[in-house]
Amino acid sequence: MSADERISITAVGDIMLGDSAKCIGIGLRSALYKEEPPLIFAQVKRYMTSDIVFGNLECVLSDHDYNGLDFKKAQMRGIPSSINAVKDAGFTVLNVANNHTLQYGATGFMNTCRVLEEAGIGIVGVRGDAEYLCKPFLQDIRGEKVGVLGYALEKDQYYSGRTLYAQGCDDEIVGDVGRLRRICDYVVVSMHWGDEFVSTPSEATINLARRIIDAGAHT
């Protein structure tokens, strides 16, 4: 593949479309009632021109049981229509495997996934069935098959029972990567992991990263 034909990826970290995680009524959700949604990405949109533009959706896009005066029912929740701003910015694939995606239960999670689907944005991080822990997102780009996987490692603090997103042990993650690599030309893996406010990854994190690469993830 020539330099002009290479597959390009732009990736960002967390995308949080709700108000401040510490104070409702102040932040992006409230601001979106006052201005056109596309403006929130106006300063970065010019960078979102890759074949895959990826981010981690660290919030719930559902108004089910929403109460703007109750912190426990409003924290980390974006307006469902705010996905239009994400789409307009150029994002093509979003990860939903993280510790806030089930903050409002299965209904909030499924509503969020439906919002992404209706916007035509690829979803990664949903718990798979049969052999996959994570349901792969597959895309054909100029004749090359690209597979994307997404996982969260931390324990879910909001949901009891089997999570609806991909959360599991190291061996399951490595197994997914190897399995997907056998049918894809390229494998991309998103990991929601590590400790906050720590600048150096743990030895366990480094070891898992190496195993994922050795199993077939591309760097």
Side-chain angles (χ1 to χ4, degrees):
M1 182 179 288
S2 69
D4 292 338
E5 296 174 324
R6 289 176 182 169
I7 294 170
S8 60
I9 299 176
T10 296
V12 306
D14 297 346
I15 300 172
M16 211 286 274
L17 300 169
D19 279 341
S20 166
K22 300 297 183 181
C23 179
I24 57 176
I26 300 174
L28 187 54
R29 182 184 174 104
S30 296
L32 287 177
Y33 283 117
K34 304 173 184 178
E35 64 180 35
E36 288 297 319
L39 295 179
I40 64 176
F41 291 108
Q43 299 302 313
V44 297
K45 184 177 178 179
R46 64 183 181 276
Y47 302 111
M48 309 297 191
T49 58
S50 300
D51 296 309
I52 296 175
V53 181
F54 181 92
N56 175 57
L57 186 63
E58 187 92 3
C59 65
V60 175
L61 298 181
S62 172
D63 279 338
H64 173 73
D65 200 31
Y66 173 79
N67 183 341
L69 300 178
D70 185 341
F71 182 78
K72 291 184 178 180
K73 291 188 176 184
Q75 184 201 32
M76 305 295 286
R77 296 179 75 151
I79 305 168
S81 62
S82 63
I83 196 63
N84 296 327
V86 179
K87 178 76 172 180
D88 179 78
F91 285 95
T92 62
V93 183
L94 294 180
N95 175 56
V96 295
N98 60 68
N99 59 305
H100 285 286
T101 198
L102 277 171
Q103 188 164 341
Y104 295 99
T107 299
F109 178 83
M110 290 186 290
N111 286 352
T112 299
C113 290
R114 184 171 62 251
V115 166
L116 300 187
E117 289 173 351
E118 291 175 351
I121 294 177
I123 304 171
V124 67
V126 174
R127 182 177 286 274
D129 49 24
E131 56 190 3
Y132 282 99
L133 171 63
C134 172
K135 180 180 179 181
F137 173 77
L138 303 176
Q139 185 173 356
D140 184 274
I141 301 175
R142 293 187 294 282
E144 301 286 341
K145 193 171 185 178
V146 180
V148 187
L149 299 165
Y151 306 91
L153 292 190
E154 68 272 58
K155 183 179 179 180
D156 195 287
Q157 70 246 54
Y158 301 105
Y159 194 76
S160 60
R162 189 170 182 260
T163 59
L164 303 180
Y165 60 84
Q167 179 191 53
C169 71
D170 295 2
D171 289 344
E172 290 178 296
I173 295 170
V174 172
D176 275 4
V177 175
R179 194 173 297 112
L180 190 59
R181 181 64 182 89
R182 290 193 288 272
I183 64 171
C184 287
D185 299 296
Y186 298 96
V187 175
V188 179
V189 182
S190 170
M191 300 295 298
H192 193 73
W193 59 0
D195 297 318
E196 292 183 318
F197 314 116
V198 176
S199 59
T200 303
S202 68
E203 183 176 352
T205 297
I206 294 172
N207 289 338
L208 177 55
R210 288 172 174 164
R211 290 185 65 193
I212 289 171
I213 293 170
D214 290 343
H218 287 80
T219 59

